[in-house]
Amino acid sequence: MMPVHLRDSVIPKHEQLRAILLHKCTKELQPGDLMTSERKLMQDYGVSRITVREAIGQLVNEGHLVRVRGKGTFVAHRPVQSKLHLASFTEEMRAQGHKPTTVVLQSEEDAAPEATAKALRIAPDTSAYHVKRLRLADGEPVSVDDGWFNAALLPGLLDLDLTGSIYRATADKYGMPIDRAEQTVSADGASQEIATLLGIKKGAPVMYFDRVSFSGPTPVEHTRSWYRSDRYQLQMEVQGERAQRSV
């Protein structure tokens, strides 16, 4: 549809233009596409630069667009959201309508690091399965997962398709469903390796997860993960003391 000049109405012009641009970036363009320049928007819709910048600024603040100095304004990547519950990456992405894919970077049996041996409650230098994977949603990198698994509990794990859900495999093949995890989350700066894998600059902010997953009382997995903070968000429900006492 050809653009037409906006008219004065009860709806301010910047709100009219915002609605037009929101439709464009959610229905017509793809994440990473370049948005129409300010000058072209001014010509197409007969509005001032102030009106254009107000409309674009609102969409930037709402996370629909992102400005890149010297290059222009681009359609933002839709962030992946986690409700902070226990689920595999594959299951969580599919539940949100994303297409998950996984690249296996490393799969080997090796002596578990000291922290991992302690987490898995195995003797120091005991062999464990080491699986490092790059996780993507809709073809865009989201996280790097560096996991260790108790080899004695999961014999032959490395022979399975590790691009799928390992949690599904522990439940279906080994009868050890992951039903609990202890996890810490902190802010970190991406190392050169993590930055390269996630497509960001070294030192860029990432969310760092350190998780020990259990099947019943038995620790099965110790994984460290680095998530792109601009593509992954955590959601949680917080209750006050009165609500907790009533449960």
Side-chain angles (χ1 to χ4, degrees):
M1 184 173 63
M2 293 294 294
V4 295
H5 284 200
L6 302 181
R7 297 181 179 181
D8 292 324
S9 72
V10 295
I11 302 175
K13 286 185 178 180
H14 72 267
E15 287 291 347
Q16 296 179 50
L17 183 58
R18 176 195 169 279
I20 292 170
L21 298 183
L22 177 62
H23 181 274
K24 183 186 289 287
C25 68
T26 57
K27 302 298 183 182
E28 299 177 11
L29 301 176
Q30 297 297 315
D33 284 353
L34 180 65
M35 176 55 76
T36 308
S37 70
E38 290 185 1
R39 182 179 297 276
K40 186 72 163 57
L41 290 174
M42 291 166 59
Q43 295 173 349
D44 287 347
Y45 297 101
V47 295
S48 68
R49 185 177 297 275
I50 292 176
T51 296
V52 171
R53 289 185 173 177
E54 177 68 21
I56 290 177
Q58 288 184 15
L59 294 174
V60 169
N61 291 336
E62 294 166 6
H64 297 291
L65 296 174
V66 59
R67 288 191 178 103
V68 180
R69 180 173 296 182
K71 295 185 178 180
T73 303
F74 296 82
V75 179
H77 292 273
R78 184 161 62 101
V80 172
Q81 294 185 333
S82 171
K83 293 187 177 180
L84 205 60
H85 64 286
L86 188 59
S88 74
F89 179 88
T90 301
E91 294 169 344
E92 191 169 48
M93 294 304 100
R94 287 175 177 164
Q96 295 181 42
H98 297 285
K99 181 182 179 181
T101 50
T102 296
V103 177
V104 179
L105 305 171
Q106 192 172 356
S107 62
E108 62 181 357
E109 185 171 359
D110 201 355
E114 182 178 353
T116 294
K118 183 177 180 180
L120 295 179
R121 300 174 190 167
I122 57 179
D125 295 326
T126 299
S127 288
Y129 293 140
H130 183 202
V131 180
K132 190 172 185 178
R133 302 183 293 178
L134 174 64
R135 318 305 294 270
L136 304 96
D138 305 322
E140 298 292 338
V142 174
S143 73
V144 176
D145 295 345
D146 192 351
W148 290 82
F149 300 84
N150 189 326
L153 300 175
L154 309 171
L157 177 69
L158 298 186
D159 296 327
L160 304 181
D161 179 9
L162 299 176
T163 63
S165 170
I166 292 181
Y167 282 11
R168 174 71 66 182
T170 63
D172 294 348
K173 181 176 176 61
Y174 300 100
M176 301 194 72
I178 301 298
D179 50 25
R180 182 174 70 87
E182 296 176 358
Q183 177 172 273
T184 59
V185 184
S186 59
D188 197 4
S191 66
Q192 185 61 65
E193 178 191 13
I194 297 300
T196 300
L197 291 171
L198 293 180
I200 56 180
K201 293 182 179 180
K202 180 182 178 182
V206 291
M207 284 188 285
Y208 171 67
F209 292 71
D210 192 310
R211 169 187 282 196
V212 181
S213 302
F214 298 78
S215 180
T218 306
V220 175
E221 169 205 27
H222 177 221
T223 291
R224 297 178 302 148
S225 301
W226 295 264
Y227 281 77
R228 280 190 60 148
S229 59
D230 60 339
R231 292 187 183 163
Y232 191 82
Q233 298 177 349
L234 287 175
Q235 289 183 323
M236 63 195 76
E237 179 178 335
V238 181
Q239 295 183 338
E241 292 184 3
R242 181 177 299 179
Q244 291 175 346
R245 287 196 298 267
S246 65
V247 175

